[in-house]
Amino acid sequence: MAILSLTDLRTRILARSHIQTNLLDPATNTSATGQDTLDGLINQAKDDLVAEHNFTWKRGRASFLTSPAVFRHSLPADFQRPLAFYVVNSWKLDPLTLNEFRSQIQDAGDNTGTPVHYILGNDEVEFWPRGADTVELDYYKGFPDLVENGDTLTVTSGVPVGIGTIFQEAVINKTLETIFSDFQHDERS
């Protein structure tokens, strides 16, 4: 099976379920809203599958060269949440919220040294104290939603090509499972 676009995924799911797009939105009974619902179900299935399994490809690694003069560093574009920050060949850094940082660190501007804390905010990270070190980040990647008709799981969401066809089949099946579960629930109500 080839790598499928969002349009192809919709087509396969609708063909296997034998339903029309408008049935996915019984409130308005329109195909446009039904397509939005189907896209949401596809993306939810993708996110659920990624979360359920400990895939090594959903992890990333980044390095930061710290210095006393650099306060903030940009996080990788695909960063979702940290596994660990650590100083190379040394220790793991502890997280601090901005409020904890403000309440615990006295005279913050003058403190330099090898980092022991990190503070996350606004797609950036700050290390404390500030020193000239290399900090490594192991993190979970975020997988963007399929939005455009031509978006694919391998290009848009970062699923490795080698398992792309298996993964997209799992997304199709999980989406169908949700659709049929929702229809059964609606019939019982």
Side-chain angles (χ1 to χ4, degrees):
M1 179 189 302
I3 300 300
L4 303 176
S5 67
L6 178 57
T7 299
D8 298 330
L9 289 169
R10 287 185 206 120
T11 302
R12 296 239 175 145
I13 290 166
L14 292 171
R16 287 190 194 175
S17 66
H18 301 289
I19 62 171
Q20 299 293 321
T21 310
N22 62 317
L23 294 176
L24 293 172
D25 183 32
T28 63
N29 200 28
T30 65
S31 59
T33 309
Q35 182 174 305
D36 291 344
T37 301
L38 181 56
D39 290 355
L41 294 172
I42 290 168
N43 284 306
Q44 186 60 53
K46 169 196 53 90
D47 292 342
D48 289 350
L49 286 165
V50 168
E52 288 171 12
H53 302 284
N54 193 20
F55 298 118
T56 56
W57 49 265
K58 73 178 187 179
R59 295 183 187 169
R61 175 169 280 173
S63 293
F64 303 92
L65 298 175
T66 67
S67 86
V70 178
F71 297 110
R72 293 180 184 89
H73 302 269
S74 294
L75 290 165
D78 60 354
F79 174 85
Q80 184 179 42
R81 63 186 169 91
L83 282 163
F85 282 96
Y86 53 93
V87 176
V88 173
N89 299 322
S90 195
W91 56 76
K92 183 177 172 181
L93 277 62
D94 293 321
L96 281 179
T97 66
L98 189 54
N99 287 338
E100 289 171 331
F101 174 75
R102 288 178 180 151
S103 68
Q104 292 180 13
I105 308 297
Q106 297 295 322
D107 207 13
D110 297 334
N111 205 347
T112 60
T114 301
V116 293
H117 298 287
Y118 68 91
I119 303 113
L120 292 175
N122 299 328
D123 299 325
E124 295 179 322
V125 62
E126 187 171 342
F127 302 105
W128 195 257
R130 295 182 187 105
D133 295 282
T134 300
V135 175
E136 293 283 332
L137 162 63
D138 289 332
Y139 65 98
Y140 284 113
K141 296 177 183 178
F143 294 93
D145 284 344
L146 303 178
V147 177
E148 302 296 326
N149 290 333
D151 287 354
T152 66
L153 291 166
T154 54
V155 175
T156 307
S157 290
V159 176
V161 173
I163 67 160
T165 56
I166 296 167
F167 191 81
Q168 70 191 13
E169 190 64 31
V171 167
I172 290 169
N173 290 332
K174 192 160 192 67
T175 304
L176 287 167
E177 186 180 303
T178 302
I179 289 170
F180 291 130
S181 173
D182 288 349
F183 272 114
Q184 284 180 341
H185 178 72
D186 289 345
E187 288 177 3
R188 289 183 194 143
S189 299

